[in-house]
Amino acid sequence: EAGVAQSPRYKIIEKRQSVAFWCNPISGHATLYWYQQILGQGPKLLIQFQNNGVVDDSQLPKDRFSAERLKGVDSTLKIQPAKLEDSAVYLCASSLWSGVTTGELFFGEGSRLTVL
Amino acid sequence: GQSLEQPSEVTAVEGAIVQINCTYQTSGFYGLSWYQQHDGGAPTFLSYNALDGLEETGRFSSFLSRSDSYGYLLLQELQMKDSASYFCAASGNTPLVFGKGTRLSVIA
């Protein structure tokens, strides 16, 4: 079974520029998550989708971050304009359902963003 | 809010046993998960406890006490490849919330 695919793996941009990350979850997984992981810290949830609907985006900085999952499969996370503090690894994860009853999420390798 | 506390670093000798503790404050708590992450890699799922007690999976075991809001991950027969960061994560009324992680260094 193919895992969670993410691209690009690495991206370097200057502050105030924009960037987009793409994620393709495991086939059949209804729930998709975007997490931000700053170096030395644990993953922090940005947004959770159930199929193509948003379940939780309470920690998404909506003035600069946006995410969509239009057809309930792959997803895109965009940052515009980027700030220095956005430098982090952006992890996409998926689960068959909400992950609550099993606590098991499947993570991609992540997209490492450096903002100069 | 939701918060989890775990030690930032632990060092142990190859072949030994190490315990990584985690305390949590989570509304509508369902269960506690543990993840392993090697440098530059993806977090990978190790275990999940929804009920009190010990769950064993090979060299790794995980324990939960709901009354104490406490859990731990026990790693036995440590190997060099176990050097990684370990995260506890709580599921509840909100999506999975992760602790800051414990960096385990296994030395010869």
Side-chain angles (χ1 to χ4, degrees):
Chain A
E1 160 180 275
V4 176
Q6 290 190 245
S7 67
R9 288 296 314 278
Y10 305 93
K11 189 74 176 179
I12 301 174
I13 61 174
E14 296 191 350
K15 59 183 179 183
R16 291 187 291 274
Q17 287 187 324
S18 63
V19 63
F21 302 115
W22 173 82
C23 171
N24 192 32
I26 292 172
S27 177
H29 280 196
T31 309
L32 184 148
Y33 312 78
W34 284 101
Y35 281 85
Q36 179 193 58
Q37 187 175 26
I38 292 172
L39 186 64
Q41 298 185 21
K44 172 190 165 186
L45 180 74
L46 293 175
I47 189 167
Q48 176 189 356
F49 293 95
Q50 184 77 16
N51 296 308
N52 61 349
V54 175
V55 174
D56 189 324
D57 64 355
S58 58
Q59 298 187 83
L60 186 74
K62 298 181 185 63
D63 57 335
R64 298 183 302 104
F65 286 64
S66 65
E68 59 184 15
R69 193 185 185 197
L70 292 177
K71 298 182 179 178
V73 180
D74 57 350
S75 175
T76 303
L77 175 71
K78 296 180 181 178
I79 307 174
Q80 181 180 13
K83 292 185 175 181
L84 296 177
E85 59 259 37
D86 299 332
S87 293
V89 176
Y90 291 86
L91 294 163
C92 179
S94 70
S95 62
L96 192 57
W97 298 109
S98 68
V100 167
T101 56
T102 67
E104 182 175 12
L105 305 185
F106 296 84
F107 283 88
E109 294 289 332
S111 294
R112 183 180 296 275
L113 174 66
T114 301
V115 182
L116 303 176
Chain B
Q2 321 249 22
S3 67
L4 297 97
E5 296 290 332
Q6 53 182 129
S8 58
E9 293 182 359
V10 172
T11 300
V13 178
E14 190 176 17
I17 299 172
V18 71
Q19 179 174 312
I20 300 174
N21 298 321
C22 174
T23 57
Y24 60 86
Q25 288 185 319
T26 305
S27 60
F29 177 79
Y30 291 146
L32 193 69
S33 301
W34 288 92
Y35 285 77
Q36 179 192 62
Q37 186 178 33
H38 287 98
D39 286 348
T44 56
F45 174 81
L46 294 176
S47 67
Y48 176 71
N49 294 66
L51 303 175
D52 285 357
L54 191 68
E55 295 277 346
E56 298 181 57
T57 309
R59 294 188 297 114
F60 293 1
S61 302
S62 56
F63 172 83
L64 177 66
S65 169
R66 298 174 72 98
S67 60
D68 296 323
S69 298
Y70 163 76
Y72 66 73
L73 179 69
L74 192 73
L75 296 84
Q76 303 182 70
E77 301 173 16
L78 281 173
Q79 302 175 10
M80 301 300 287
K81 67 178 182 179
D82 297 329
S83 292
S85 292
Y86 293 84
F87 297 90
C88 56
S91 56
N93 288 338
T94 61
L96 212 58
V97 176
F98 286 79
K100 292 185 176 181
T102 299
R103 188 169 186 87
L104 171 64
S105 298
V106 180
I107 59 176

